[in-house]
Amino acid sequence: MTNSETKGPLPRQDAAHLPGMLQGLRVIEVADETGEYVGLTLAGLGAEVIKMEALSGAPTRHIGPFLDDVPGPERSLHFWNYNRGKRSVVAELDTPEGAADLRRLLASADILVDASGGAVARALGVEPKAIAALFPGLIAARITPFGDHGPWKDHKASDLVHLALGGIMMNCGYDPDPARHYDLPPIAPQLWHAYHIAGDQAVVGILAALIHRLHTGEGQDIGLAIHDAVSKNTELDVMSWVMRHAPLYRQTCRHAIENPTHVPSIGHTKDGRWYIAAGVSVRDQTNLVPYLAKYGMQADLAMPGPEADTRARNVPGSGASDEGKAHVSEIVQRFIRSYRYETMPWREAQDAGLLWAPLRKPQENVADVHWQTRGTFAEIEHPEHGRSFHYPVSRWLSTETNWQAGRRAPLLGEDTDAVLATAKPRVAKQPARPRAATAPKLSGWGKPFPLQGVRIFDFSWFLASAGGTRFAAALGADVIKVEWKANPDTRLAAMSPVGGREARRAATAPLKGVTDSDMGGQFNNKNSGKSGLSLNIRHPKGLEIARRLIAQSDVVAEGFSPGVLQRLGLGYDKLTELRPDMIYVQQSGMGGVGTYGRFRTIGPVAAAFAGTSEMSGLPEPAMPAGWGYSFLDWIGAYSFATAILGALYHRDVTGKGQWIDSSQCESGIFLGGVPVLDWSANGRIWSRIGNRSPYKPAAPHGAYRCAGTDRWIAIACFDQADWQALARAAGHPGWLADPRFATLESRLLHQDALDAAVTQWTVGQDAYAAMEALQKAGVAAGVCQNAEDRCERDPQLAALNWFTEVTGTKIGRWPVTELPMKLAATPPYSGGLIDRGAPGYGEDNARILGEMLGYSAEQVAALAEEGVL
């Protein structure tokens, strides 16, 4: 399907005149690398973002890479990337004049993004949680490493330490040896992903607070702990542990799994590049054998027999799980090895229905016609250098709004006079679409929901789309999840144990799971708070029911391949006939507009194509370690939720709905701005660096083996004080006398020897004891935690109430993860409006059809008999 064949939202060149979703809002940002991504995203959504900096500039102006490799506060490509579209105001907050400027700007603002480590609160003379109350209607979003309370609240952190403590590193890395001993450390995916993960979830919380304020006038405090957000970003490990006491083990560039194999789902070309060939189910093999046979490369593979179940689905990206499937993967790798990277016929494989894609480097997407058509990248002019540079600037296309590329990052203080001269107290907006006056339903926390009164007709599935509507349900939207038995969502993962909750409480080893598809723990976690409707929309009566229910809904959300709903008569033009201000948000792997059309994509395939898989791992010639779970499923889910909430806010302000064409892969590309910019500015192609810190100099910086089986600790020393504190805490004053380690510069030159010295100490240490000793000394350090650690041992997550107990009709009462954004006035609640876990298949048919359409119990039963329900 080409762009000319796709009737979708406008490509960027035709949509540049459209506003952003948050046009007219003002954001004050006081942040370092932990929060700048939030401001970048809000600027992309159309808000005016004013960055307050000290006279010496934000610390991120000193993070590399630099233009022409010449350091300087106006030459940091890191700063350029994360501060595009913002304005710079200089003020020393610890002076009376600076504090006064801060107050004036906050009085004019809608949103505060505060990742200042308490500097804003100190300047205002209040506790951090009290900032919002000083300025009527202000939404104060505070991003902290570990939260406001709890035993770790004052611990030091870094991107590496967050990825370790949050469980991501223990899901990512390389296969164990044949004895299942890990001879290499877990690997932190690069680059700045802890802050991307936390930032995307913070944006969702801010949008929910904006919607609430629009209808009530009430601002509020939002607290988000990066540790909390990151700990919820892994995919299967938490629910596998919660439900079945089953640990998962990392594998090379594929999903962590209970029983690891030694057959990666990526294959090596003859010229040293990589391709992913995901999918080893019976359905995949039905497509694979004839494809390979065209090239005479099918070896001994045969078509599945007539008794094989071609409907069965594996967990996406989980790879080979037995010797038979491993053999299939090895034959595919043999095929890949016979080609060069440029000549591998992966497009033909895609046309044959196979989940194949190249592992691209980030900059290789810039010249791709598909992304050019979608306006994924833009050239931003830097007049001071007489050049333009490439940036990723968009995550979706839409009919009424547009991502704003903005100008280049501000020069230090260049907007100070203009901004301060025009700062006026904020004027409250009035909604163009008032909410119905109904008594608010209180959540499980006894407070109102921010999205109450919003209904979403939800065709999402897997995680990339279903995870997004899960956010909406926890924020109070009435989400009706629609499934049909011929093509159901993935329900069979992290199953409830035989024996239920009592068996789990007594478990000392992995438990056997049930096979009932209504009792999947992973499905429960990503669909809690939703109602369930089974509906065959290919049946005329089913289509008519869908139309009538959609007419009473605010949003239609779907995660199908592009064009599916259009072919069934539920395209955007038909939806607006049912409701003129309809919001239609679709998410596919590559997006509907463009040259890839029905490109088959799951999280690992999107990560391969976006560049995130190739970026992580040991330096070449080692294999990419990639991600040990569908990272871009979660990033896609955050983007999907952002699109839904942003469109709801825009409609409430303007009265206009819209069609949004969102791309899971595009959301991943958006995260690769620094390597793309480094390539554009310096001609440098990203090279993997393992666990080292490429741009913010640090040494030691890595994961170090501790006592016990597969136990590791992440340590990050960014300056001389950190290093001296580490040497003292480790009881190795001799390190300080070693000339190789005398300065940060010399330590960076001798990192292999430095890592060996640190490992000699850590290998005899209990990981948690070492962490506490180092944190007490002021060193950023954190255990590489697995799911068991986070669920059973992590006192900070417990203090932050990272789980909420919900009751499913069949599965019973189990914990699911709670959204990490702590909205003071309207906190999310994972049980949603209905205060329940995920729905059983079609569980709410009678209630939905009875309450919304007036069907009797007899009519519902008759529809079930006809194959409509």
Side-chain angles (χ1 to χ4, degrees):
M1 183 183 294
T2 66
N3 182 55
S4 61
E5 298 169 324
T6 304
K7 295 181 180 179
L10 297 172
R12 177 169 301 275
Q13 60 265 30
D14 299 321
H17 65 283
L18 295 175
M21 289 175 168
L22 303 185
Q23 207 80 10
L25 296 181
R26 170 171 279 191
V27 179
I28 306 302
E29 177 195 290
V30 188
D32 58 8
E33 64 264 31
T34 63
E36 285 179 339
Y37 176 74
V38 177
L40 172 69
T41 304
L42 295 174
L45 292 172
E48 176 196 23
V49 179
I50 297 168
K51 183 174 186 64
M52 296 195 72
E53 306 183 69
L55 293 175
S56 58
T60 48
R61 290 182 179 272
H62 303 284
I63 296 177
F66 298 96
L67 178 64
D68 300 325
D69 293 328
V70 178
E74 307 294 1
R75 304 178 67 86
S76 164
L77 304 185
H78 175 100
F79 185 86
W80 287 9
N81 180 68
Y82 289 100
N83 293 279
R84 172 175 50 82
K86 301 177 186 178
R87 307 174 77 186
S88 173
V89 169
V90 294
E92 295 290 350
L93 298 187
D94 58 355
T95 66
E97 297 79 11
D101 288 342
L102 174 64
R103 285 182 175 272
R104 285 183 62 203
L105 290 178
L106 288 178
S108 75
D110 299 276
I111 302 162
L112 166 67
V113 175
D114 178 8
S116 67
V120 170
R122 290 191 294 273
L124 298 173
V126 298
E127 290 297 313
K129 285 185 177 182
I131 294 171
L134 295 177
F135 305 94
L138 181 68
I139 295 164
R142 298 177 301 101
I143 300 162
T144 62
F146 293 98
D148 297 321
H149 64 279
W152 294 356
K153 70 180 181 66
D154 296 320
H155 279 192
K156 289 183 68 173
S158 70
D159 187 52
L160 176 77
V161 169
H162 279 306
L163 295 174
L165 285 170
I168 287 177
M169 287 180 69
M170 287 298 279
N171 278 272
C172 301
Y174 291 98
D175 291 341
D177 66 19
R180 292 196 175 181
H181 171 262
Y182 283 100
D183 48 2
L184 290 171
I187 300 293
Q190 295 290 329
L191 185 66
W192 308 106
H193 287 306
Y195 308 138
H196 295 148
I197 291 164
D200 271 336
Q201 296 183 74
V203 167
V204 174
I206 290 168
L207 290 170
L210 282 170
I211 292 169
H212 174 73
R213 186 189 70 176
L214 191 63
H215 294 279
T216 66
E218 183 180 24
Q220 60 182 304
D221 176 76
I222 303 173
L224 184 136
I226 298 170
H227 178 48
D228 191 15
V230 172
S231 294
K232 293 165 180 171
N233 186 262
T234 57
E235 188 176 1
L236 291 170
D237 65 333
V238 170
M239 284 300 121
S240 293
W241 181 261
V242 166
M243 305 302 297
R244 294 184 43 249
H245 198 275
L248 301 188
Y249 299 94
R250 61 190 179 276
Q251 304 185 113
T252 304
C253 208
R254 62 199 189 283
H255 276 54
I257 199 169
E258 193 171 338
N259 296 298
T261 68
H262 297 277
V263 186
S265 56
I266 60 172
H268 202 218
T269 64
K270 65 174 64 172
D271 57 348
R273 294 293 300 277
W274 299 89
Y275 274 82
I276 187 169
V280 291
S281 68
V282 172
R283 174 187 292 188
D284 298 315
Q285 197 165 337
T286 301
N287 296 325
L288 174 66
V289 174
Y291 173 74
L292 292 179
K294 288 198 310 181
Y295 298 89
M297 295 286 286
Q298 76 275 25
D300 59 350
L301 297 185
M303 291 289 286
E307 74 287 350
D309 182 5
T310 59
R311 297 172 301 172
R313 279 198 182 92
N314 292 352
V315 173
S318 55
S321 57
D322 58 43
E323 283 303 313
K325 292 175 181 176
H327 180 59
V328 174
S329 293
E330 288 167 340
I331 289 174
V332 170
Q333 290 175 19
R334 186 187 306 172
F335 179 80
I336 295 171
R337 283 197 302 272
S338 66
Y339 286 95
R340 292 182 295 110
Y341 180 78
E342 293 296 335
T343 60
M344 236 289 291
W346 68 274
R347 291 297 301 272
E348 289 83 352
Q350 277 279 340
D351 290 341
L354 299 172
L355 287 161
W356 290 19
L359 266 70
R360 284 188 168 174
K361 296 179 185 290
Q363 84 286 348
E364 290 176 327
N365 283 304
V366 174
D368 190 307
V369 173
H370 178 78
W371 305 120
Q372 290 178 344
T373 299
R374 294 182 62 82
T376 307
F377 297 91
E379 289 189 73
I380 306 297
E381 184 181 2
H382 286 247
E384 300 77 20
H385 303 288
R387 294 175 59 187
S388 296
F389 302 97
H390 289 92
Y391 290 77
V393 296
S394 175
R395 296 172 80 151
W396 61 68
L397 296 174
S398 50
T399 54
E400 290 292 334
T401 57
N402 191 39
W403 278 87
Q404 307 296 299
R407 69 172 188 183
R408 54 94 176 107
L411 304 178
L412 178 59
E414 73 171 293
D415 305 294
T416 303
D417 293 341
V419 169
L420 291 177
T422 58
K424 297 178 181 178
R426 182 184 72 87
V427 176
K429 281 186 169 65
Q430 296 298 316
R433 184 179 177 275
R435 212 48 85 66
T438 57
K441 182 173 181 179
L442 301 184
S443 74
W445 313 126
K447 294 189 177 183
F449 287 103
L451 298 189
Q452 185 165 340
V454 171
R455 177 173 291 133
I456 300 176
F457 203 66
D458 182 17
F459 289 109
S460 68
W461 61 339
F462 288 167
L463 178 55
S465 52
T469 50
R470 198 266 207 202
F471 272 64
L475 291 164
D478 176 12
V479 179
I480 301 173
K481 181 173 180 61
V482 185
E483 294 180 90
W484 183 240
K485 58 190 174 185
N487 201 30
D489 201 349
T490 49
R491 287 173 165 266
L492 300 177
M495 303 305 293
S496 177
V498 174
R501 192 77 181 265
E502 286 305 313
R504 176 59 184 85
R505 288 191 183 99
T508 57
L511 300 171
K512 184 178 180 179
V514 302
T515 58
D516 187 332
S517 61
D518 285 339
M519 298 176 68
Q522 181 69 355
F523 184 84
N524 192 41
N525 191 47
K526 69 182 180 181
N527 289 288
S528 60
K530 301 179 184 180
S531 300
L533 175 69
S534 62
L535 186 64
N536 181 5
I537 59 174
R538 297 182 185 275
H539 191 290
K541 290 185 178 180
L543 181 60
E544 180 58 24
I545 288 171
R547 289 172 57 84
R548 292 178 64 192
L549 292 174
I550 287 170
Q552 300 180 51
S553 300
D554 298 276
V555 179
V556 172
E558 58 107 333
F560 301 137
S561 296
V564 169
L565 285 191
Q566 286 88 336
R567 289 190 294 274
L568 291 171
L570 291 174
Y572 183 60
D573 55 340
K574 300 299 182 183
L575 298 180
T576 53
E577 290 176 3
L578 300 172
R579 178 167 182 164
D581 63 352
M582 176 60 68
I583 294 168
Y584 172 40
V585 185
Q586 61 180 131
Q587 176 150 275
S588 57
M590 308 296 277
V593 171
T595 59
Y596 288 132
R598 291 175 60 81
F599 185 104
R600 299 190 72 232
T601 309
I602 55 175
V605 173
F609 211 88
T612 55
S613 291
E614 175 66 64
M615 281 183 68
S616 294
L618 296 174
E620 296 186 56
M623 300 172 70
W627 286 81
Y629 63 95
S630 293
F631 172 59
L632 290 195
D633 271 16
W634 267 127
I635 294 300
Y638 306 150
S639 189
F640 200 54
T642 298
I644 292 170
L645 270 67
L648 284 167
Y649 175 80
H650 181 262
R651 188 184 68 178
D652 283 358
V653 170
T654 67
K656 296 179 180 180
Q658 58 187 301
W659 176 5
I660 297 174
D661 172 22
S662 183
S663 160
Q664 179 186 20
C665 188
E666 201 166 20
S667 295
I669 288 172
F670 192 81
L671 306 183
V674 171
V676 167
L677 193 51
D678 195 20
W679 163 80
S680 181
N682 295 325
R684 182 162 37 233
I685 294 173
W686 172 266
S687 296
R688 296 190 298 274
I689 40 72
N691 287 324
R692 290 180 176 167
S693 180
Y695 297 142
K696 186 176 181 180
H701 189 278
Y704 302 92
R705 190 183 293 277
C706 293
T709 301
D710 197 29
R711 302 307 298 180
W712 307 82
I713 186 171
I715 301 173
C717 292
F718 293 97
D719 56 30
Q720 204 68 2
D722 291 345
W723 167 241
Q724 292 170 354
L726 170 62
R728 289 193 298 270
H732 282 275
W735 290 349
L736 303 178
D738 191 321
R740 297 173 300 172
F741 309 150
T743 65
L744 177 58
E745 290 72 19
S746 60
R747 290 193 297 279
L748 291 169
L749 292 173
H750 298 94
Q751 288 191 77
D752 288 343
L754 179 63
D755 287 346
V758 174
T759 299
Q760 282 186 335
W761 171 64
T762 61
V763 75
Q765 302 296 312
D766 172 80
Y768 284 96
M771 169 184 162
E772 288 305 315
L774 292 176
Q775 286 286 353
K776 186 176 181 180
V779 177
V783 176
C784 294
Q785 295 195 121
N786 55 32
E788 178 184 2
D789 296 327
R790 280 133 68 213
C791 293
E792 313 290 351
R793 299 191 182 99
D794 188 319
Q796 191 62 24
L797 290 177
L800 294 173
N801 296 316
W802 78 308
F803 280 137
T804 292
E805 296 259 346
V806 296
T807 303
T809 304
K810 251 185 163 181
I811 197 173
R813 190 162 183 82
W814 290 93
V816 296
T817 55
E818 188 54 86
L819 273 57
M821 312 86 77
K822 312 296 186 186
L823 281 70
T826 59
Y829 173 63
S830 284
L833 280 175
I834 59 176
D835 195 8
R836 195 186 67 191
Y841 177 75
E843 176 172 350
D844 300 293
N845 287 353
R847 175 176 63 81
I848 292 169
L849 297 182
E851 291 179 0
M852 295 180 64
L853 302 183
Y855 282 61
S856 67
E858 292 76 14
Q859 288 174 309
V860 172
L863 289 169
E865 286 293 321
E866 289 184 69
V868 178
L869 301 177

